[in-house]
Every structure is written in structure tokens, then in C-alpha cells.
Amino acid sequence: LYKNDTTLKKMTTMLPHMLKSGRVSYYGLGLYQYTFNGDIYYGHGGFWGSLIAYCPSKKITFCGNINQVNPSFKTSQLIEKLLQEF
């Protein structure tokens, strides 16, 4: 898929970044690292509550959109509940 085999390695080499909220986010080259139910996913989210992420160990791709910037619930809890089935 990529001309240079090292591109995926660069995208999945995560560096910690401190957020204003005090939480730490892990970011590579265009990808974020997410942990849901103890499994590592790589992906990217959007402003309106969209997310696409892939878990290499389970070969699962998750794609969702809630169309809300500030929902009244924790989106990570919703995603974890949905992924419990896999």
C-alpha cells in the first residue's frame, strides 16, 4: 500500500502528548493509539464524534459517528460496550 515499507512503522510509533485536560494522548504519523477493553487500536477521530480504528491483534476495524461535538455521555464507554461482542 505504501511506497516505503517504513511508513507504517512511522505511523504506529506512538509518542506521548500531554493534553490540556491533563490526560496523555499517544500519536504517531497521522494516527492515534486508543485502548478499548485492554486492546490497542490505531486510528483517527473527527470533530463531530467520528472515529475509525483498527486492532491488529484481533483484526477488527471499528468505524462510528455520533454527530455530536460534546455528547452527554463518554464515547469511550459506548465504544467499549459495542466492542465487547468481539
Side-chain angles (χ1 to χ4, degrees), residues 50-53 61-65:
S50 59
L51 172 69
I52 187 166
T61 300
F62 176 83
C63 182
N65 187 355

Side-chain angles (χ1 to χ4, degrees), residues 39-42 53-62:
D39 296 312
I40 301 294
Y41 287 76
Y42 299 98
Y54 176 70
C55 178
S57 65
K58 290 191 170 184
K59 296 185 176 148
I60 293 173
T61 300
F62 176 83

Side-chain angles (χ1 to χ4, degrees), residues 4-70:
N4 189 336
D5 291 339
T6 61
T7 302
L8 183 59
K9 179 73 174 158
K10 289 178 182 178
M11 292 173 74
T12 57
T13 299
M14 299 291 148
L15 299 174
H17 295 277
M18 185 64 71
L19 302 174
K20 290 180 184 178
S21 66
R23 292 182 18 232
V24 176
S25 174
Y26 294 91
Y27 181 75
L29 182 63
L31 293 178
Y32 286 92
Q33 178 179 302
Y34 304 95
T35 303
F36 300 117
N37 299 326
D39 296 312
I40 301 294
Y41 287 76
Y42 299 98
H44 199 93
F47 180 75
W48 292 104
S50 59
L51 172 69
I52 187 166
Y54 176 70
C55 178
S57 65
K58 290 191 170 184
K59 296 185 176 148
I60 293 173
T61 300
F62 176 83
C63 182
N65 187 355
I66 59 170
N67 286 329
Q68 296 181 38
V69 176
N70 294 312

